[in-house]
């Protein structure tokens, strides 16, 4: 069975005030601890008596973080070789998340030599005022320069992440990002709403300058329209791509296909269980060094639980889910399991059913959380 391999790189040069992903300051000593932990975790995961990854064929690799673009060619090659030594591993897609700062052409070229096929650049905005509000340590020009350098060294799969719903955002500031992207022609764009996570430094900024939700939705529509005109079709609520450039690795999450996550805070989903790792470098590495498990929590999946999760993830996709396919994989008929919910949602125009397919209508995707909560 094909599966995805995710590796979490838990380091950043500095913490962005709005970020809720697990990361700690980048140090050489920390990196050594992480690398040793990765080796141990990969060894344990690939053992015949391990969690079930031994029989999988990994065809995508995604290194996320954190700021994995702090890694160079030699380190990325070593990680790739580690995966090839431990697993059945033939990646047709190898994504590296990158920050558009601190990487000259030689570093970027080295990523290509290490086998990276897809660069996902966390630009967030091509508007200087928005970048300043977010506390990002680069200008719009520097971000553009970085992306152009990636193109020049031969990355023909370039993804750009942007953020919407940022305090002070206007149609003009969003327009500046869209204009720059039009010139850059990325193959994939992810447009995420800024989340207000309690306890983060940015919560104070948002308290002083609250974001108007309707205006944020207008920004999303502005982005969607511009990307549509540029030939990037929406295939998931927040993700847009040229035909053939959809992220194969992330599609596995939404299609409920297996993936193994290595590193602190990484999540995994194999056919009968899913789990997340300890979200602390020290705890994760310490558990592995002592020969124990680095998991924080494991959920054993009954067929009904798997069908429910597959439905909820799959409905985030524009194409929705095929209930017949789902029944083949889980043995569960979601039309029976959720007969009442599906009936009510389809009569309210919040879900469409055609044969065995179910999907959320395009104009309702932004309220998908409320729709999906009906299945939970
Ligand atoms: S660089 Fe990315 S992962 Fe690191 S703190 Fe900023 S947003 Fe979070």
């Amino acid at each position: 069975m094909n599966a995805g391999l995710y590796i979490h790189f838990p380091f950043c040069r500095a913490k962005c005030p709005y970020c809720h992903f697990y990361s700690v300051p980048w140090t050489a000593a920390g990196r050594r601890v992480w690398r040793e932990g990765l080796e141990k975790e990969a060894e344990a995961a690939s053992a015949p008596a391990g969690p079930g990854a031994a029989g999988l064929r990994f065809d995508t690799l995604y290194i996320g973080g954190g700021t994995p673009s702090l890694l160079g060619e030699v380190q990325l090659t070593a990680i790739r070789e580690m995966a090839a030594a431990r697993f059945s591993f033939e990646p047709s897609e190898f994504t590296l998340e990158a920050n558009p700062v601190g990487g000259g052409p030689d570093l970027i070229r080295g990523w290509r030599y290490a086998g990276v096929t897809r660069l996902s650049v966390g630009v967030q905005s091509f508007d200087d005022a928005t970048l300043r509000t977010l506390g990002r340590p680069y200008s719009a020009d520097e971000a553009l320069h970085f992306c152009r350098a990636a193109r020049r060294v031969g990355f023909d799969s370039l993804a750009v992440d942007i953020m919407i719903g940022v305090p002070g955002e206007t149609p003009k500031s969003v327009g500046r990002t869209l204009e720059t992207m039009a010139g850059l022609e990325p193959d994939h764009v992810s447009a995420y709403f800024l989340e207000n996570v309690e306890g983060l430094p940015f919560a104070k900024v948002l308290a002083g300058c609250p974001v108007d939700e309707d205006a944020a939705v207008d920004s999303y529509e502005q982005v969607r329209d511009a990307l549509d005109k540029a030939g990037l079709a929406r295939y998931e609520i927040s993700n847009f791509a040229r035909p053939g450039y959809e992220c194969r690795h992330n599609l596995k999450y939404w299609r409920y296909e297996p993936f193994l996550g290595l590193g602190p805070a990484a999540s995994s989903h194999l056919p009968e269980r899913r789990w997340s790792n300890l979200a602390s470098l020290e705890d994760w590495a310490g558990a592995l060094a002592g020969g124990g498990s680095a998991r924080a929590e494991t959920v054993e999946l009954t067929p009904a639980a798997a069908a429910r999760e597959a439905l909820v993830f799959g409905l985030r996709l524009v194409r929705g889910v095929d209930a017949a396919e789902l029944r083949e994989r889980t043995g569960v008929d979601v039309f029976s399991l959720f007969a009442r919910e599906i009936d009510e949602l389809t009569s309210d125009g919040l879900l469409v059913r055609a044969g065995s397919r179910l999907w959320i209508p395009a104009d309702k995707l932004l309220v998908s959380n409320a729709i999906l909560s009906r299945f939970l």
Side-chain angles (χ1 to χ4, degrees):
M1 188 186 288
N2 286 349
L5 182 61
Y6 173 82
I7 295 182
H8 190 75
F9 179 85
F11 305 101
C12 292
R13 285 215 188 276
K15 192 78 189 168
C16 301
Y18 59 86
C19 176
H20 56 87
F21 294 114
Y22 174 66
S23 69
V24 291
W26 162 246
T27 62
R31 181 167 57 79
R32 274 194 297 278
V33 170
W34 175 70
R35 277 296 283 124
E36 283 166 20
L38 269 192
E39 292 287 348
K40 289 202 163 61
E41 195 174 23
E43 183 185 351
S46 61
L56 298 172
R57 179 183 168 271
F58 291 94
D59 63 354
T60 61
L61 172 60
Y62 192 111
I63 306 187
T67 309
S69 51
L70 290 167
L71 294 168
E73 177 187 348
V74 173
Q75 295 146 337
L76 289 173
T77 303
I79 289 171
R80 204 189 142 102
E81 281 177 358
M82 174 197 78
R86 292 293 176 196
F87 304 108
S88 165
F89 178 71
E90 290 169 47
S92 60
E93 179 189 89
F94 176 0
T95 300
L96 181 75
E97 284 184 357
N99 254 1
V101 65
D106 286 344
L107 180 72
I108 302 173
R109 191 174 292 110
W111 299 336
R112 288 258 300 141
Y113 294 158
V116 177
T117 61
R118 181 174 181 274
L119 202 60
S120 175
V121 188
V123 169
Q124 313 312 351
S125 175
F126 284 109
D127 172 67
D128 281 326
T130 307
L131 289 172
R132 276 196 299 276
T133 304
L134 288 170
R136 301 290 283 180
Y138 49 83
S139 67
D141 266 359
E142 284 167 325
L144 178 60
H145 190 74
F146 179 95
C147 293
R148 284 196 178 136
R151 282 291 200 213
R152 268 199 305 277
V153 305
F155 275 105
D156 60 5
S157 183
L158 181 70
V160 166
D161 283 9
I162 59 169
M163 196 157 274
I164 46 185
V166 178
E169 180 177 283
T170 62
K172 218 168 169 184
S173 66
V174 174
R176 268 192 283 275
T177 291
L178 292 171
E179 258 168 50
T180 306
M181 285 207 296
L184 186 62
E185 299 185 343
D187 307 291
H188 188 285
V189 172
S190 302
Y192 297 113
F193 286 95
L194 177 69
E195 283 179 63
N196 186 3
V197 180
E198 233 177 89
L200 291 179
F202 208 76
K204 279 193 195 141
V205 179
L206 285 164
C209 184
V211 173
D212 179 310
E213 275 186 30
D214 290 340
V217 169
D218 288 347
S219 296
Y220 175 89
E221 299 297 351
Q222 189 184 350
V223 168
R224 194 190 64 170
D225 289 350
L227 294 178
D228 192 47
K229 282 191 193 110
L232 281 85
R234 179 169 65 168
Y235 68 102
E236 191 268 348
I237 299 169
S238 303
N239 287 278
F240 305 78
R242 292 187 196 292
Y245 284 88
E246 297 84 3
C247 178
R248 280 176 234 163
H249 182 86
N250 287 345
L251 275 171
K252 290 184 193 297
Y253 301 149
W254 301 311
R255 289 181 179 156
Y256 210 59
E257 291 168 0
F259 59 89
L260 176 70
L262 305 178
S267 300
S268 300
H269 165 224
L270 297 186
E272 283 160 12
R273 65 188 60 90
R274 63 175 163 74
W275 69 89
S276 49
N277 280 351
L278 294 163
S280 147
L281 176 64
E282 290 75 23
D283 294 351
W284 168 83
L288 290 163
S293 160
R295 296 184 199 173
E297 183 199 7
T298 302
V299 176
E300 299 294 336
L301 295 162
T302 61
R308 176 197 307 272
E309 291 190 353
L311 183 66
V312 167
F313 284 112
L315 286 174
R316 291 187 60 91
L317 291 168
V318 168
R319 69 181 291 276
V321 295
D322 185 327
E325 216 176 79
L326 232 163
R327 191 175 53 234
E328 234 169 73
R329 286 168 53 193
T330 63
V332 174
D333 180 8
V334 290
F335 288 131
S336 308
L337 185 64
F338 296 113
R340 186 170 51 84
E341 290 83 354
I342 291 173
D343 252 16
E344 287 172 5
L345 288 166
T346 44
S347 13
D348 291 346
L350 297 170
L351 211 52
V352 184
R353 179 179 176 176
S356 64
R357 281 198 48 227
L358 269 178
W359 69 94
I360 296 176
D363 64 334
K364 299 291 187 298
L365 273 173
L366 275 191
V367 293
S368 61
N369 283 349
I371 299 171
L372 298 176
S373 70
R374 301 285 299 276
F375 298 110
L376 297 174

